[in-house]
Amino acid sequence: MQKLAIVGGGISGLSLAYYLQNDYEITVFEKEKWGGKAYTQKVDKYLLEEGVNGFLSNSPKTLELCEEIGINPIKANENSKIRYIYDDKLYQIPLKPIEFLKSDILSFFGKLRVAMEFFVEPICDREETVAEFATRRLGKEFNRRMMTPMLAGIYASTPEKTSMNAAFPKLKKIECEYGSLFKGMIKLKRGGQPSGELHSFEWGMSEFIEKLISKTKANFVEKEIIDIDELDEFDKVVIATPSYNAAEILAKYENLSGLLKKIEYNPVAIVGFDYEEIKPVCFGILTVKDKSLGILMDKYIFPNRNAIRVMVGGARYPEIKNMSEEEIIKIAENDVAKITGAQKPSFKWIKIHKNAIPNYSLGHQKLVDEIMKEAEKIGIYLTGNAYKGVSFNDCIKNSYELAQKLKESNV
């Protein structure tokens, strides 16, 4: 049986090991902690996620994997459907067309401009930023009020710095196939909301990671791999680390390493608080222009959670890279007070990710294609959220697809 090394014990690396455990003799290397940013900290009586806090139930591969390893996801309660945007005041996000018409989330003229989307000609011969796409199809007001907070919540980025083609390829495909987002949604019988319901695990994301490891036949080694030459004994190597780590490991291959370094990352600090009382009761609040990108009301949507988390920084405020924990906590605390009115938390916690989320900027798809071609030349495989999708579901789906490719090459 061929020997396979997987460098990186996050969601991507661990799920890949699971899928290939009967086809290769596998060793997984991890330098810090299993699960990567899918890690749950237990601090005193608090359960806090360092990164992702759940997944949407719209990916068959994720649900299949949960069933195979014997773990039951739990569905978020009804509060998870209540979401707000803060832009000097709170606006509840409407879930249905009639609610959108009655809402004050956009002005009358902003809503009228959105309705004109039916008549906007598609552009399919060039790449656009999210800002260009949203402004062209739905108007400036929609881009600012809706897309700015959404990009902050998903990518910790801004519409101006994010490629529509790379970050939202399905929406771009709908425009090009049907000529309009609304026409496409009508024909596909979809609303504007993402399909699927939010799920997590009873004791956090680390529960999934621990279960996945227990069901995987592999050697799990806590060791930092610095150079690809350390892995000469293996027949195949998969690098499942952030792209900047992959660039260091593959430094001897200058072309590939140089390409990997071109993928930028946005810094994010996760600040946890406990307030005796905080409103509104909801999934969370995303912001349009604040240093805090959003507030996640974890305590109101899943059991065994009793704190909230605040995301600070991102492409909007990268200065957090050079700030102290105390300074960042103060920013988060002040923003919570301004947005919700809640004062004086009884508990404070922080986790700083100086390179948290890859930024899918213009040219990202072309860059990834070049990276994969260079990797193929030297017989190295790459996976992870730096390339094709940042979500929990994306990582599992991409690892499954890579596993099928590695199984075929092993025949």
Side-chain angles (χ1 to χ4, degrees), residues 166 237-248 250 253-265 358-388 402 405:
V237 175
V238 177
I239 309 294
T241 69
S243 58
Y244 52 87
N245 287 141
E248 294 172 2
L250 297 166
Y253 302 105
E254 293 183 7
N255 288 344
L256 178 55
S257 180
L259 290 170
L260 287 164
K261 289 177 182 177
K262 290 183 179 180
I263 297 177
E264 297 179 350
Y265 279 70
N359 197 89
Y360 288 12
S361 53
L362 283 179
H364 180 79
Q365 289 176 311
K366 182 179 178 182
L367 175 59
V368 169
D369 288 343
E370 291 177 16
I371 287 171
M372 295 305 170
K373 286 176 184 176
E374 283 295 318
E376 190 174 350
K377 287 179 186 177
I378 60 175
I380 295 290
Y381 299 88
L382 298 163
T383 190
N385 69 359
Y387 311 109
K388 295 180 181 178
L402 177 57
K405 182 176 180 179

Short mmCIF file of all heavy atoms in Angstrom, two decimals, residues 166 237-248 250 253-265 358-388 402 405:
data_model
loop_
_atom_site.label_atom_id
_atom_site.label_comp_id
_atom_site.label_asym_id
_atom_site.label_seq_id
_atom_site.Cartn_x
_atom_site.Cartn_y
_atom_site.Cartn_z
N ALA A 166 -15.14 34.38 -8.37
CA ALA A 166 -14.50 33.42 -7.48
C ALA A 166 -15.29 33.19 -6.21
O ALA A 166 -15.38 32.07 -5.71
CB ALA A 166 -13.08 33.89 -7.13
N VAL A 237 2.16 13.30 -1.52
CA VAL A 237 2.07 14.33 -0.49
C VAL A 237 0.93 15.29 -0.83
O VAL A 237 0.82 15.76 -1.97
CB VAL A 237 3.38 15.12 -0.36
CG1 VAL A 237 3.21 16.28 0.64
CG2 VAL A 237 4.52 14.21 0.08
N VAL A 238 0.10 15.56 0.18
CA VAL A 238 -0.95 16.57 0.05
C VAL A 238 -0.66 17.67 1.07
O VAL A 238 -0.47 17.39 2.26
CB VAL A 238 -2.35 15.99 0.33
CG1 VAL A 238 -3.40 17.10 0.27
CG2 VAL A 238 -2.69 14.89 -0.66
N ILE A 239 -0.63 18.91 0.60
CA ILE A 239 -0.46 20.05 1.51
C ILE A 239 -1.85 20.66 1.74
O ILE A 239 -2.46 21.18 0.81
CB ILE A 239 0.49 21.12 0.93
CG1 ILE A 239 1.80 20.50 0.46
CG2 ILE A 239 0.73 22.22 1.97
CD1 ILE A 239 2.64 19.92 1.56
N ALA A 240 -2.34 20.55 2.97
CA ALA A 240 -3.68 21.05 3.32
C ALA A 240 -3.57 22.16 4.35
O ALA A 240 -4.38 22.25 5.27
CB ALA A 240 -4.53 19.90 3.85
N THR A 241 -2.58 23.01 4.19
CA THR A 241 -2.35 24.14 5.08
C THR A 241 -2.80 25.43 4.40
O THR A 241 -3.08 25.43 3.20
CB THR A 241 -0.86 24.27 5.42
OG1 THR A 241 -0.17 24.68 4.22
CG2 THR A 241 -0.27 22.96 5.92
N PRO A 242 -2.85 26.55 5.12
CA PRO A 242 -3.04 27.83 4.43
C PRO A 242 -1.96 28.02 3.37
O PRO A 242 -0.85 27.48 3.49
CB PRO A 242 -2.89 28.85 5.56
CG PRO A 242 -3.29 28.11 6.80
CD PRO A 242 -2.79 26.71 6.59
N SER A 243 -2.28 28.76 2.33
CA SER A 243 -1.37 28.86 1.19
C SER A 243 -0.02 29.48 1.55
O SER A 243 1.01 29.13 0.96
CB SER A 243 -2.02 29.66 0.07
OG SER A 243 -2.38 30.95 0.51
N TYR A 244 0.01 30.38 2.54
CA TYR A 244 1.29 30.99 2.92
C TYR A 244 2.19 29.96 3.60
O TYR A 244 3.42 30.01 3.45
CB TYR A 244 1.08 32.22 3.80
CG TYR A 244 0.21 32.02 5.02
CD1 TYR A 244 0.73 31.56 6.22
CD2 TYR A 244 -1.15 32.30 4.96
CE1 TYR A 244 -0.08 31.37 7.33
CE2 TYR A 244 -1.96 32.12 6.07
CZ TYR A 244 -1.43 31.65 7.25
OH TYR A 244 -2.22 31.46 8.34
N ASN A 245 1.63 29.01 4.35
CA ASN A 245 2.43 27.92 4.91
C ASN A 245 2.89 26.97 3.82
O ASN A 245 4.03 26.49 3.82
CB ASN A 245 1.62 27.14 5.95
CG ASN A 245 1.43 27.88 7.25
OD1 ASN A 245 0.36 27.81 7.85
ND2 ASN A 245 2.45 28.61 7.71
N ALA A 246 1.99 26.69 2.87
CA ALA A 246 2.36 25.82 1.74
C ALA A 246 3.52 26.43 0.96
O ALA A 246 4.42 25.71 0.51
CB ALA A 246 1.15 25.62 0.84
N ALA A 247 3.51 27.75 0.81
CA ALA A 247 4.60 28.43 0.09
C ALA A 247 5.93 28.21 0.78
O ALA A 247 6.97 28.02 0.12
CB ALA A 247 4.29 29.92 -0.02
N GLU A 248 5.95 28.23 2.11
CA GLU A 248 7.19 28.01 2.86
C GLU A 248 7.66 26.57 2.73
O GLU A 248 8.85 26.30 2.52
CB GLU A 248 6.98 28.38 4.33
CG GLU A 248 6.71 29.85 4.56
CD GLU A 248 6.32 30.16 6.00
OE1 GLU A 248 6.29 29.20 6.82
OE2 GLU A 248 6.05 31.33 6.31
N LEU A 250 7.10 24.56 0.35
CA LEU A 250 7.47 24.29 -1.03
C LEU A 250 8.44 25.34 -1.58
O LEU A 250 8.51 25.56 -2.79
CB LEU A 250 6.21 24.25 -1.90
CG LEU A 250 5.21 23.14 -1.54
CD1 LEU A 250 3.87 23.38 -2.21
CD2 LEU A 250 5.77 21.77 -1.93
N TYR A 253 10.58 24.99 -4.75
CA TYR A 253 9.92 25.13 -6.05
C TYR A 253 9.49 26.58 -6.18
O TYR A 253 8.38 26.98 -5.80
CB TYR A 253 8.71 24.19 -6.13
CG TYR A 253 9.06 22.74 -5.93
CD1 TYR A 253 8.76 22.09 -4.72
CD2 TYR A 253 9.73 22.01 -6.91
CE1 TYR A 253 9.08 20.76 -4.53
CE2 TYR A 253 10.06 20.68 -6.72
CZ TYR A 253 9.74 20.07 -5.52
OH TYR A 253 10.07 18.74 -5.32
N GLU A 254 10.38 27.41 -6.71
CA GLU A 254 10.21 28.86 -6.66
C GLU A 254 8.94 29.34 -7.37
O GLU A 254 8.26 30.24 -6.88
CB GLU A 254 11.44 29.55 -7.25
CG GLU A 254 12.69 29.37 -6.40
CD GLU A 254 13.88 30.12 -6.95
OE1 GLU A 254 13.70 30.88 -7.93
OE2 GLU A 254 14.99 29.94 -6.41
N ASN A 255 8.63 28.75 -8.53
CA ASN A 255 7.45 29.21 -9.27
C ASN A 255 6.18 28.95 -8.47
O ASN A 255 5.33 29.83 -8.32
CB ASN A 255 7.35 28.49 -10.62
CG ASN A 255 8.40 28.99 -11.60
OD1 ASN A 255 9.00 30.05 -11.40
ND2 ASN A 255 8.63 28.24 -12.67
N LEU A 256 6.05 27.73 -7.94
CA LEU A 256 4.86 27.36 -7.18
C LEU A 256 4.78 28.16 -5.89
O LEU A 256 3.72 28.70 -5.53
CB LEU A 256 4.86 25.87 -6.88
CG LEU A 256 3.70 25.34 -6.04
CD1 LEU A 256 2.36 25.70 -6.66
CD2 LEU A 256 3.81 23.83 -5.86
N SER A 257 5.89 28.29 -5.19
CA SER A 257 5.91 29.04 -3.94
C SER A 257 5.54 30.50 -4.17
O SER A 257 4.77 31.09 -3.40
CB SER A 257 7.30 28.95 -3.30
OG SER A 257 7.35 29.67 -2.09
N GLY A 258 6.04 31.07 -5.24
CA GLY A 258 5.73 32.47 -5.56
C GLY A 258 4.25 32.68 -5.85
O GLY A 258 3.66 33.67 -5.43
N LEU A 259 3.65 31.72 -6.55
CA LEU A 259 2.22 31.81 -6.85
C LEU A 259 1.39 31.70 -5.57
O LEU A 259 0.42 32.44 -5.37
CB LEU A 259 1.81 30.71 -7.83
CG LEU A 259 2.33 30.86 -9.27
CD1 LEU A 259 2.06 29.59 -10.06
CD2 LEU A 259 1.68 32.07 -9.95
N LEU A 260 1.76 30.79 -4.69
CA LEU A 260 1.03 30.60 -3.44
C LEU A 260 1.06 31.86 -2.57
O LEU A 260 0.09 32.18 -1.87
CB LEU A 260 1.61 29.41 -2.68
CG LEU A 260 1.28 28.03 -3.26
CD1 LEU A 260 2.20 26.96 -2.68
CD2 LEU A 260 -0.18 27.67 -2.99
N LYS A 261 2.18 32.56 -2.60
CA LYS A 261 2.31 33.78 -1.80
C LYS A 261 1.40 34.91 -2.28
O LYS A 261 1.16 35.87 -1.54
CB LYS A 261 3.77 34.25 -1.82
CG LYS A 261 4.71 33.38 -1.02
CD LYS A 261 6.15 33.86 -1.15
CE LYS A 261 7.10 32.96 -0.39
NZ LYS A 261 8.53 33.37 -0.56
N LYS A 262 0.88 34.80 -3.49
CA LYS A 262 0.03 35.85 -4.04
C LYS A 262 -1.38 35.84 -3.44
O LYS A 262 -2.12 36.81 -3.58
CB LYS A 262 -0.06 35.72 -5.56
CG LYS A 262 1.23 36.07 -6.29
CD LYS A 262 1.05 35.99 -7.79
CE LYS A 262 2.34 36.37 -8.51
NZ LYS A 262 2.18 36.30 -9.99
N ILE A 263 -1.76 34.75 -2.80
CA ILE A 263 -3.08 34.69 -2.17
C ILE A 263 -3.03 35.47 -0.86
O ILE A 263 -2.27 35.13 0.04
CB ILE A 263 -3.53 33.24 -1.92
CG1 ILE A 263 -3.66 32.50 -3.25
CG2 ILE A 263 -4.84 33.20 -1.14
CD1 ILE A 263 -4.04 31.03 -3.11
N GLU A 264 -3.82 36.53 -0.78
CA GLU A 264 -3.83 37.38 0.41
C GLU A 264 -4.81 36.84 1.44
O GLU A 264 -5.79 36.17 1.10
CB GLU A 264 -4.22 38.81 0.04
CG GLU A 264 -3.26 39.49 -0.91
CD GLU A 264 -3.71 40.90 -1.26
OE1 GLU A 264 -4.86 41.25 -0.93
OE2 GLU A 264 -2.93 41.63 -1.87
N TYR A 265 -4.53 37.17 2.72
CA TYR A 265 -5.42 36.76 3.81
C TYR A 265 -5.85 37.99 4.60
O TYR A 265 -5.09 38.96 4.72
CB TYR A 265 -4.70 35.80 4.75
CG TYR A 265 -4.69 34.36 4.26
CD1 TYR A 265 -3.92 34.00 3.16
CD2 TYR A 265 -5.45 33.38 4.89
CE1 TYR A 265 -3.92 32.69 2.70
CE2 TYR A 265 -5.45 32.07 4.45
CZ TYR A 265 -4.68 31.73 3.35
OH TYR A 265 -4.68 30.43 2.89
N PRO A 358 -8.76 33.60 3.52
CA PRO A 358 -8.20 34.01 2.23
C PRO A 358 -9.11 34.97 1.50
O PRO A 358 -10.34 34.84 1.55
CB PRO A 358 -8.05 32.69 1.45
CG PRO A 358 -9.00 31.75 2.12
CD PRO A 358 -9.07 32.15 3.54
N ASN A 359 -8.53 35.96 0.86
CA ASN A 359 -9.29 36.96 0.12
C ASN A 359 -9.33 36.55 -1.35
O ASN A 359 -8.30 36.49 -2.01
CB ASN A 359 -8.66 38.34 0.27
CG ASN A 359 -9.62 39.44 -0.12
OD1 ASN A 359 -10.37 39.93 0.72
ND2 ASN A 359 -9.62 39.83 -1.38
N TYR A 360 -10.51 36.26 -1.86
CA TYR A 360 -10.66 35.88 -3.26
C TYR A 360 -10.77 37.15 -4.11
O TYR A 360 -11.84 37.58 -4.49
CB TYR A 360 -11.91 35.03 -3.44
CG TYR A 360 -11.81 33.61 -2.89
CD1 TYR A 360 -10.75 33.23 -2.06
CD2 TYR A 360 -12.76 32.66 -3.20
CE1 TYR A 360 -10.66 31.94 -1.56
CE2 TYR A 360 -12.68 31.37 -2.71
CZ TYR A 360 -11.64 31.01 -1.89
OH TYR A 360 -11.55 29.72 -1.40
N SER A 361 -9.63 37.72 -4.40
CA SER A 361 -9.60 38.98 -5.14
C SER A 361 -9.67 38.72 -6.65
O SER A 361 -9.68 37.57 -7.11
CB SER A 361 -8.34 39.76 -4.79
OG SER A 361 -7.19 38.96 -4.96
N LEU A 362 -9.72 39.80 -7.44
CA LEU A 362 -9.76 39.66 -8.90
C LEU A 362 -8.59 38.81 -9.38
O LEU A 362 -7.46 38.98 -8.93
CB LEU A 362 -9.70 41.03 -9.56
CG LEU A 362 -10.99 41.87 -9.56
CD1 LEU A 362 -10.72 43.21 -10.25
CD2 LEU A 362 -12.13 41.15 -10.24
N GLY A 363 -8.87 37.90 -10.28
CA GLY A 363 -7.83 37.01 -10.80
C GLY A 363 -7.62 35.75 -9.97
O GLY A 363 -6.75 34.94 -10.28
N HIS A 364 -8.44 35.57 -8.94
CA HIS A 364 -8.22 34.43 -8.03
C HIS A 364 -8.37 33.09 -8.76
O HIS A 364 -7.53 32.19 -8.58
CB HIS A 364 -9.21 34.49 -6.86
CG HIS A 364 -9.05 33.36 -5.88
ND1 HIS A 364 -8.06 33.36 -4.92
CD2 HIS A 364 -9.72 32.18 -5.73
CE1 HIS A 364 -8.14 32.24 -4.22
NE2 HIS A 364 -9.13 31.51 -4.69
N GLN A 365 -9.40 32.94 -9.56
CA GLN A 365 -9.61 31.67 -10.25
C GLN A 365 -8.45 31.34 -11.19
O GLN A 365 -7.98 30.20 -11.23
CB GLN A 365 -10.92 31.70 -11.03
CG GLN A 365 -12.16 31.68 -10.15
CD GLN A 365 -13.43 31.83 -10.93
OE1 GLN A 365 -13.56 32.72 -11.79
NE2 GLN A 365 -14.41 30.98 -10.67
N LYS A 366 -7.98 32.34 -11.91
CA LYS A 366 -6.84 32.13 -12.81
C LYS A 366 -5.59 31.77 -12.02
O LYS A 366 -4.82 30.87 -12.40
CB LYS A 366 -6.60 33.40 -13.63
CG LYS A 366 -5.46 33.26 -14.64
CD LYS A 366 -5.28 34.55 -15.44
CE LYS A 366 -4.12 34.42 -16.41
NZ LYS A 366 -3.89 35.68 -17.17
N LEU A 367 -5.39 32.45 -10.88
CA LEU A 367 -4.23 32.17 -10.03
C LEU A 367 -4.29 30.74 -9.50
O LEU A 367 -3.28 30.03 -9.50
CB LEU A 367 -4.19 33.16 -8.87
CG LEU A 367 -3.12 32.95 -7.79
CD1 LEU A 367 -1.71 33.00 -8.40
CD2 LEU A 367 -3.26 33.98 -6.68
N VAL A 368 -5.46 30.30 -9.06
CA VAL A 368 -5.60 28.93 -8.55
C VAL A 368 -5.32 27.91 -9.64
O VAL A 368 -4.67 26.89 -9.40
CB VAL A 368 -7.01 28.73 -7.94
CG1 VAL A 368 -7.28 27.25 -7.65
CG2 VAL A 368 -7.16 29.54 -6.67
N ASP A 369 -5.80 28.18 -10.86
CA ASP A 369 -5.51 27.28 -11.98
C ASP A 369 -4.01 27.16 -12.21
O ASP A 369 -3.48 26.05 -12.43
CB ASP A 369 -6.19 27.78 -13.25
CG ASP A 369 -7.70 27.60 -13.22
OD1 ASP A 369 -8.19 26.80 -12.39
OD2 ASP A 369 -8.40 28.26 -14.03
N GLU A 370 -3.30 28.28 -12.15
CA GLU A 370 -1.84 28.27 -12.34
C GLU A 370 -1.16 27.49 -11.21
O GLU A 370 -0.20 26.73 -11.44
CB GLU A 370 -1.31 29.71 -12.38
CG GLU A 370 -1.73 30.49 -13.61
CD GLU A 370 -1.23 31.93 -13.57
OE1 GLU A 370 -0.33 32.23 -12.75
OE2 GLU A 370 -1.74 32.76 -14.34
N ILE A 371 -1.65 27.69 -9.97
CA ILE A 371 -1.08 26.98 -8.82
C ILE A 371 -1.24 25.48 -8.98
O ILE A 371 -0.29 24.70 -8.76
CB ILE A 371 -1.75 27.47 -7.51
CG1 ILE A 371 -1.26 28.87 -7.15
CG2 ILE A 371 -1.48 26.50 -6.36
CD1 ILE A 371 -2.03 29.52 -6.02
N MET A 372 -2.42 25.04 -9.37
CA MET A 372 -2.68 23.60 -9.50
C MET A 372 -1.87 22.98 -10.63
O MET A 372 -1.40 21.84 -10.52
CB MET A 372 -4.18 23.36 -9.71
CG MET A 372 -5.05 23.76 -8.52
SD MET A 372 -4.51 22.96 -6.96
CE MET A 372 -5.50 23.84 -5.75
N LYS A 373 -1.66 23.73 -11.71
CA LYS A 373 -0.84 23.22 -12.82
C LYS A 373 0.61 23.07 -12.39
O LYS A 373 1.27 22.07 -12.71
CB LYS A 373 -0.95 24.16 -14.02
CG LYS A 373 -2.27 24.06 -14.76
CD LYS A 373 -2.34 25.08 -15.89
CE LYS A 373 -3.71 25.04 -16.56
NZ LYS A 373 -3.85 26.09 -17.62
N GLU A 374 1.13 24.05 -11.66
CA GLU A 374 2.51 23.96 -11.16
C GLU A 374 2.66 22.81 -10.16
O GLU A 374 3.67 22.10 -10.17
CB GLU A 374 2.91 25.28 -10.50
CG GLU A 374 3.24 26.40 -11.46
CD GLU A 374 4.49 26.11 -12.30
OE1 GLU A 374 5.48 25.59 -11.73
OE2 GLU A 374 4.45 26.39 -13.50
N ALA A 375 1.66 22.65 -9.30
CA ALA A 375 1.72 21.56 -8.31
C ALA A 375 1.71 20.21 -9.00
O ALA A 375 2.43 19.28 -8.60
CB ALA A 375 0.54 21.69 -7.35
N GLU A 376 0.90 20.10 -10.06
CA GLU A 376 0.82 18.83 -10.79
C GLU A 376 2.15 18.47 -11.44
O GLU A 376 2.52 17.30 -11.49
CB GLU A 376 -0.28 18.94 -11.85
CG GLU A 376 -0.62 17.62 -12.51
CD GLU A 376 -1.80 17.73 -13.46
OE1 GLU A 376 -2.49 18.77 -13.47
OE2 GLU A 376 -2.04 16.76 -14.21
N LYS A 377 2.88 19.49 -11.89
CA LYS A 377 4.17 19.23 -12.53
C LYS A 377 5.14 18.53 -11.60
O LYS A 377 5.96 17.72 -12.04
CB LYS A 377 4.80 20.57 -12.98
CG LYS A 377 4.15 21.20 -14.19
CD LYS A 377 4.85 22.53 -14.51
CE LYS A 377 4.16 23.29 -15.61
NZ LYS A 377 4.81 24.61 -15.85
N ILE A 378 5.07 18.86 -10.30
CA ILE A 378 6.03 18.27 -9.35
C ILE A 378 5.40 17.15 -8.52
O ILE A 378 6.03 16.63 -7.60
CB ILE A 378 6.60 19.36 -8.42
CG1 ILE A 378 5.49 20.03 -7.61
CG2 ILE A 378 7.39 20.38 -9.21
CD1 ILE A 378 6.01 21.03 -6.59
N GLY A 379 4.14 16.81 -8.85
CA GLY A 379 3.51 15.69 -8.16
C GLY A 379 3.03 15.99 -6.76
O GLY A 379 2.96 15.09 -5.91
N ILE A 380 2.70 17.25 -6.50
CA ILE A 380 2.20 17.65 -5.18
C ILE A 380 0.71 17.98 -5.31
O ILE A 380 0.27 18.54 -6.32
CB ILE A 380 2.96 18.90 -4.66
CG1 ILE A 380 4.43 18.56 -4.41
CG2 ILE A 380 2.31 19.46 -3.40
CD1 ILE A 380 4.65 17.64 -3.23
N TYR A 381 -0.05 17.67 -4.28
CA TYR A 381 -1.48 17.98 -4.26
C TYR A 381 -1.76 19.03 -3.19
O TYR A 381 -1.14 19.03 -2.13
CB TYR A 381 -2.30 16.72 -3.97
CG TYR A 381 -2.11 15.62 -5.00
CD1 TYR A 381 -1.07 14.70 -4.87
CD2 TYR A 381 -2.95 15.52 -6.09
CE1 TYR A 381 -0.88 13.70 -5.80
CE2 TYR A 381 -2.77 14.52 -7.04
CZ TYR A 381 -1.74 13.61 -6.89
OH TYR A 381 -1.55 12.62 -7.82
N LEU A 382 -2.72 19.92 -3.51
CA LEU A 382 -3.07 21.01 -2.59
C LEU A 382 -4.57 21.01 -2.33
O LEU A 382 -5.36 20.79 -3.25
CB LEU A 382 -2.66 22.36 -3.17
CG LEU A 382 -1.17 22.58 -3.44
CD1 LEU A 382 -0.97 23.75 -4.38
CD2 LEU A 382 -0.43 22.84 -2.13
N THR A 383 -4.95 21.25 -1.10
CA THR A 383 -6.36 21.42 -0.78
C THR A 383 -6.48 22.37 0.40
O THR A 383 -5.50 22.64 1.09
CB THR A 383 -7.04 20.07 -0.48
OG1 THR A 383 -8.46 20.25 -0.41
CG2 THR A 383 -6.55 19.45 0.84
N GLY A 384 -7.70 22.87 0.64
CA GLY A 384 -7.91 23.83 1.72
C GLY A 384 -8.75 24.99 1.25
O GLY A 384 -9.09 25.11 0.06
N ASN A 385 -9.07 25.90 2.15
CA ASN A 385 -9.99 26.98 1.82
C ASN A 385 -9.34 28.13 1.04
O ASN A 385 -10.02 29.09 0.70
CB ASN A 385 -10.69 27.52 3.07
CG ASN A 385 -9.75 28.26 4.01
OD1 ASN A 385 -8.55 28.40 3.76
ND2 ASN A 385 -10.30 28.75 5.11
N ALA A 386 -8.06 28.02 0.75
CA ALA A 386 -7.39 29.08 -0.02
C ALA A 386 -7.77 29.05 -1.49
O ALA A 386 -7.53 30.03 -2.20
CB ALA A 386 -5.87 28.95 0.12
N TYR A 387 -8.38 27.96 -1.95
CA TYR A 387 -8.50 27.76 -3.39
C TYR A 387 -9.92 27.84 -3.94
O TYR A 387 -10.21 28.67 -4.78
CB TYR A 387 -7.86 26.41 -3.75
CG TYR A 387 -6.48 26.27 -3.14
CD1 TYR A 387 -6.25 25.37 -2.10
CD2 TYR A 387 -5.41 27.07 -3.57
CE1 TYR A 387 -5.00 25.26 -1.51
CE2 TYR A 387 -4.16 26.97 -2.99
CZ TYR A 387 -3.95 26.06 -1.95
OH TYR A 387 -2.72 25.96 -1.37
N LYS A 388 -10.82 27.00 -3.44
CA LYS A 388 -12.17 26.94 -4.03
C LYS A 388 -13.23 26.82 -2.94
O LYS A 388 -13.81 25.76 -2.74
CB LYS A 388 -12.27 25.77 -5.01
CG LYS A 388 -11.38 25.91 -6.23
CD LYS A 388 -11.53 24.72 -7.16
CE LYS A 388 -10.61 24.85 -8.37
NZ LYS A 388 -10.73 23.66 -9.27
N LEU A 402 -10.88 15.49 -4.21
CA LEU A 402 -9.47 15.16 -4.30
C LEU A 402 -9.23 13.70 -3.96
O LEU A 402 -8.38 13.03 -4.58
CB LEU A 402 -8.65 16.07 -3.37
CG LEU A 402 -7.15 15.80 -3.30
CD1 LEU A 402 -6.51 15.89 -4.69
CD2 LEU A 402 -6.46 16.78 -2.35
N LYS A 405 -9.76 11.56 -6.92
CA LYS A 405 -8.63 11.69 -7.85
C LYS A 405 -7.44 10.85 -7.37
O LYS A 405 -6.79 10.16 -8.18
CB LYS A 405 -8.22 13.17 -7.95
CG LYS A 405 -7.09 13.46 -8.91
CD LYS A 405 -6.85 14.96 -9.00
CE LYS A 405 -5.72 15.27 -9.97
NZ LYS A 405 -5.48 16.74 -10.09
#
